[in-house]
Amino acid sequence: MKKLANGMYRILGEGAFEYLAKAQSLEREGKKVLHFEIGQPDFPTPQHIKESAYEAIESNFTGYVSATGILELKQAVQDEIELSRGFRPSIEQILILPGAKPGIFFTMLSLVNQGEEIIYPDPGFPTYGSVVKYIGAGDVPITLKEENEFRLNPSDIEEKITPKTKLIILNSPQNPTGSVMTKEEIEKIAEIAEENDIFVFSDEIYSKMLYESTFHTPSVRDEAKDRTVILDGFSKSYSMTGWRLGYVVGPEEIIEKMGTLMINSLSCTTSFVQKAGITALKGTQEPLREMMKAFLERRNAIVKGLNEIPNFTCLSPQGAFYAFPNITNTGMNSREIADHILYKAGVCCLPGSAFGPGGEGYLRFSYATSIANISQAVAQIKESFG
Ligand SMILES: Cc1ncc(COP(=O)(O)O)c(C=O)c1O
């Protein structure tokens, strides 16, 4: 007899943590491993952001705060959305969260009933598929095709819409492929959602991390007032993964209910971390610019290097910090190759299949590491196949 609640047998873990554990076990045996598995910038949190947290703690800003976030941070988010997306949401449209991830969970919990369907990208961020299963929603993954540079195709979405479709999840720039959707594609999907009265959840955590392409959001259509919920945060752009700070902007009714989920689960987002968030948004953006300059060089180096490995081919990702080479010509599946690379080359990356069945035949390299490590990793992988 099953002892736990049914949903607990459906919710899934994350491949990145599984491979990190494998790499750490090799390291405990004294082996050297080059790390490309975890999706976090290798830059420290900028000094001025850290200082504002120190000051907030010093001035005893350490108690409970509003469950939906402190007003000053919400005002900073209003300015940020106006600047980056071109519309100014009301304070009631904003919810501050401990990281971006709870925004995925809370949005799906707030909008989707058991049996209703969720359309989402495959390969995609593993939390989407996991929460779809947890809430017992209908699972409608859409395969991202390499010939479309891994961009979600609006007509593929249109084909999958049924009367049960409740939510479409978008993610651009995308994890794990680094793809960036065009303005036309995003607009078309927003239009399809409106025509079919479907909610759109747009995961925009990489909104500040683009190379040649520009960022677009479906939220401009309804200014996140009717059907669009956007997710953004501080983990990636400001190297704040461990601080846990993110936010959603969406229709007031949904945001209010998500605030109730906050009250019942986390009470509030850490008070002094929110002060640091204000500094991140309002302070100098120079550290972000510097980091993106470094990521561009690394992107170019890793794409060139991966394309030099026999039977690997790799597109040039347009955003985020992930490369997603095709390894089908090796004759091995993505887990076999990821294990081969870890155990024979001492390089830890992730199998594409950790991001859904659509990721089979690919690997994901997080290139948040030095050019020297990238060159070394490419050389070791080449040698391991020699
Ligand atoms: C697409 C995407 N959404 C959300 C998150 C979660 O961000 P956070 O660490 O702020 O919860 C990540 C982190 O890897 C991500 O890649």
Side-chain angles (χ1 to χ4, degrees):
M1 196 180 84
K2 283 183 178 176
K3 288 199 174 63
L4 308 184
N6 292 339
M8 289 295 108
Y9 295 95
R10 297 194 298 264
I11 200 157
L12 305 168
E14 236 184 85
F17 294 103
E18 181 199 336
Y19 272 81
L20 178 64
K22 287 189 188 193
Q24 285 169 338
S25 131
L26 285 177
E27 285 170 331
R28 274 193 297 276
E29 292 165 20
K31 305 224 166 71
K32 195 171 169 341
V33 178
L34 294 166
H35 291 273
F36 289 80
E37 71 280 19
I38 290 285
Q40 76 177 341
D42 56 329
F43 290 77
T45 305
Q47 189 60 25
H48 67 293
I49 299 177
K50 291 196 277 196
E51 269 158 22
S52 67
Y54 303 151
E55 280 160 25
I57 294 172
E58 239 355 280
S59 61
N60 296 315
F61 193 67
T62 53
Y64 288 129
V65 289
S66 158
T68 60
I70 61 175
L71 181 61
E72 211 185 338
L73 178 55
K74 288 190 202 169
Q75 285 166 338
V77 169
Q78 274 185 313
D79 293 343
E80 164 66 20
I81 296 293
E82 188 166 9
L83 201 72
S84 56
R85 274 80 164 179
F87 67 92
R88 191 170 182 81
S90 69
I91 290 292
E92 291 72 29
Q93 279 181 275
I94 299 167
L95 176 66
I96 308 298
L97 293 163
K101 244 183 197 176
I104 303 173
F105 200 53
F106 287 179
T107 302
M108 288 160 85
L109 279 184
S110 305
L111 291 178
V112 185
N113 292 303
Q114 215 170 15
E116 290 175 333
E117 292 171 358
I118 302 180
I119 291 177
Y120 63 97
D122 173 23
F125 188 50
T127 297
Y128 311 145
S130 175
V131 181
V132 167
K133 290 173 187 69
Y134 173 71
I135 61 180
D139 204 16
V140 189
I142 300 220
T143 308
L144 304 184
K145 300 182 198 91
E146 188 174 354
E147 57 270 27
N148 197 40
E149 294 168 329
F150 300 114
R151 297 191 314 271
L152 198 52
N153 189 344
S155 53
D156 288 349
I157 290 187
E158 221 161 5
E159 270 172 29
K160 293 282 174 91
I161 288 176
T162 75
K164 288 188 189 156
T165 309
K166 190 66 175 286
L167 182 67
I168 298 170
I169 299 180
L170 302 182
N171 175 214
S172 174
Q174 210 241 358
N175 179 5
T177 66
S179 70
V180 175
M181 293 175 68
T182 65
K183 185 166 188 270
E184 293 68 34
E185 286 163 339
I186 295 263
E187 274 174 1
K188 181 72 190 157
I189 293 169
E191 200 182 300
I192 293 170
E194 192 179 294
E195 279 164 8
N196 292 277
D197 199 16
I198 297 165
F199 287 103
V200 177
F201 177 70
S202 183
D203 182 342
E204 303 179 355
I205 185 96
Y206 299 103
S207 64
K208 292 179 192 288
M209 308 188 106
L210 289 93
Y211 306 108
E212 292 84 5
S213 302
T214 44
F215 170 70
H216 298 287
T217 168
S219 59
V220 289
R221 193 173 178 91
D222 68 343
E223 301 192 342
K225 285 195 179 93
D226 301 319
R227 68 186 65 260
T228 315
V229 177
I230 60 183
L231 175 75
D232 207 336
F234 298 76
S235 297
K236 317 288 176 174
S237 314
Y238 299 105
S239 299
M240 292 174 73
T241 49
W243 293 69
R244 311 311 299 136
L245 189 63
Y247 59 87
V248 283
V249 179
E252 289 182 6
E253 189 191 351
I254 305 173
I255 295 298
E256 190 198 329
K257 289 298 178 200
M258 286 201 228
T260 314
L261 290 176
M262 273 297 288
I263 290 172
N264 283 285
S265 54
L266 296 141
S267 290
C268 63
T269 300
T270 307
S271 50
F272 50 86
V273 167
Q274 296 193 52
K275 290 281 190 187
I278 297 165
T279 306
L281 291 179
K282 295 272 179 205
T284 173
Q285 303 296 302
E286 200 44 36
L288 169 64
R289 277 191 287 274
E290 286 298 315
M291 182 167 72
M292 287 312 292
K293 238 199 266 173
F295 280 164
L296 176 64
E297 273 177 43
R298 294 161 176 196
R299 194 263 327 243
N300 294 342
I302 198 163
V303 169
K304 183 168 174 289
L306 289 170
N307 278 308
E308 284 164 11
I309 299 170
N311 297 317
F312 278 44
T313 56
C314 186
L315 295 180
S316 189
Q318 295 294 300
F321 43 86
Y322 307 114
F324 204 63
N326 182 326
I327 48 87
T328 44
N329 287 339
T330 60
M332 289 192 249
N333 70 34
S334 66
R335 277 191 93 83
E336 286 166 344
I337 284 277
D339 286 342
H340 168 98
I341 287 179
L342 178 59
Y343 294 108
K344 299 269 167 39
V347 175
C348 189
C349 65
L350 296 181
S353 56
F355 298 88
E360 184 47 75
Y362 299 89
L363 296 173
R364 191 196 78 169
F365 287 78
S366 166
Y367 52 84
T369 188
S370 66
I371 295 272
N373 281 346
I374 291 171
S375 311
Q376 183 74 26
V378 168
Q380 288 176 200
I381 297 171
K382 269 188 202 158
E383 204 183 303
S384 75
F385 286 110

